[in-house]
Amino acid sequence: MTVAPRWEPSERWVRGRRGDLTIVDSRRAILVWDSPTPVPRYAFPEADVRTDLLRAAGERFDLVIGDGTGPDAARYIALPWSAAEHWYEEDEEIFVHPRDPHKRVDAIPSSRHVTVEIGGVTVADTRAPVLVFETGLPTRYYIPRADVRLELFEPADLRTGCPYKGTAGYMSLREPGDAPPNIVWSYAEPLPAVGPIRGLLAFYNEAVDLTVDGERLQRPVTHFSRSLGH
């Protein structure tokens, strides 16, 4: 059964640029959630999109039809993220996908006692973590580098982007045993909203043993679990 997309208007000024060309410039964007995609994408009134440039570049785009009610009902174009090299909400560049207005990310310094074990070996022990509470994900515990046994890890080639936090770099265990690669990550230059995590290290709860204030946490099952082999 086909499920109709869920959408809502956005009051943000959204622009997409490729080189020196503006592909889209709109103050009338809508956010669209296409099942089963868990993250939104932007759709724009056709008049706000340079469709001639998209066709010239061989880009694919989809049409989203409004419900036909009210004077503002119109045909909207839902662009793939690759349609532009750089996307902006107001004057701030955004990455990976539009930020979901129903998702919240809070980075809060704490004095909880957090330890991390991998294969029975304690690799981190801190009383100065930063806890990141992100809608739909388990709490992540970011740990100062001074409280991590860095000699056990080596830099990895992996880099990932997050629209809420920025670009992350990864490390893997030098002697991984049964542990998956890229088990720890860090944001060297996080977005301002999560500034307290700058340079701190976080471990996948799904693949390590976390103890918080003396209580061993159960390993969660998330969409990361499969790629981690857990």
Side-chain angles (χ1 to χ4, degrees):
M1 182 179 65
T2 301
V3 179
R6 177 171 66 89
W7 64 274
E8 64 182 55
S10 173
E11 296 185 357
R12 302 184 184 195
W13 174 27
V14 180
R15 288 164 291 158
R17 296 184 60 82
R18 171 177 282 171
D20 295 331
L21 299 174
T22 298
I23 304 297
V24 58
D25 186 333
S26 182
R27 292 168 172 80
R28 301 178 293 167
I30 62 174
L31 286 164
V32 181
W33 289 262
D34 296 298
S35 181
T37 304
V39 298
R41 57 177 174 158
Y42 273 121
F44 308 95
E46 191 169 13
D48 295 346
V49 180
R50 288 287 304 272
T51 56
D52 58 319
L53 296 176
L54 294 176
R55 292 191 181 103
E59 290 286 353
R60 177 187 64 82
F61 57 86
D62 303 316
L63 296 180
V64 178
I65 307 301
D67 62 9
T69 63
D72 296 328
R75 185 167 67 170
Y76 285 81
I77 295 176
L79 297 178
W81 195 255
S82 59
E85 295 173 338
H86 300 280
W87 287 94
Y88 300 88
E89 291 178 349
E90 302 300 331
D91 289 333
E92 182 175 280
E93 187 169 6
I94 60 174
F95 304 93
V96 186
H97 61 75
R99 288 175 283 204
D100 190 328
H102 303 289
K103 187 178 181 73
R104 186 180 178 115
V105 181
D106 294 314
I108 304 177
S110 176
S111 59
R112 295 196 192 206
H113 183 200
V114 178
T115 63
V116 182
E117 294 181 22
I118 302 177
V121 176
T122 299
V123 299
D125 187 331
T126 189
R127 293 182 182 272
V130 172
L131 276 56
V132 172
F133 302 92
E134 183 170 354
T135 304
L137 287 174
T139 303
R140 301 300 191 187
Y141 298 86
Y142 283 75
I143 299 174
R145 289 174 178 263
D147 295 336
V148 177
R149 293 184 61 188
L150 296 176
E151 74 277 6
L152 300 177
F153 298 89
E154 59 187 4
D157 293 332
L158 180 64
R159 297 290 183 274
T160 61
C162 171
Y164 309 99
K165 296 186 288 292
T167 300
Y170 289 75
M171 293 194 297
S172 299
L173 279 167
R174 295 183 184 275
E175 298 182 8
D178 295 330
N182 310 311
I183 199 169
V184 58
W185 71 89
S186 179
Y187 291 90
E189 296 292 338
L191 296 177
V194 291
I197 67 172
R198 180 185 300 272
L200 276 59
L201 300 174
F203 295 79
Y204 277 109
N205 309 37
E206 298 88 339
V208 303
D209 292 314
L210 276 164
T211 300
V212 179
D213 289 338
E215 180 180 353
R216 176 67 61 89
L217 304 185
Q218 184 175 353
R219 292 187 184 184
V221 176
T222 71
H223 61 279
F224 295 109
S225 297
R226 177 173 296 181
S227 63
L228 292 167
H230 289 261

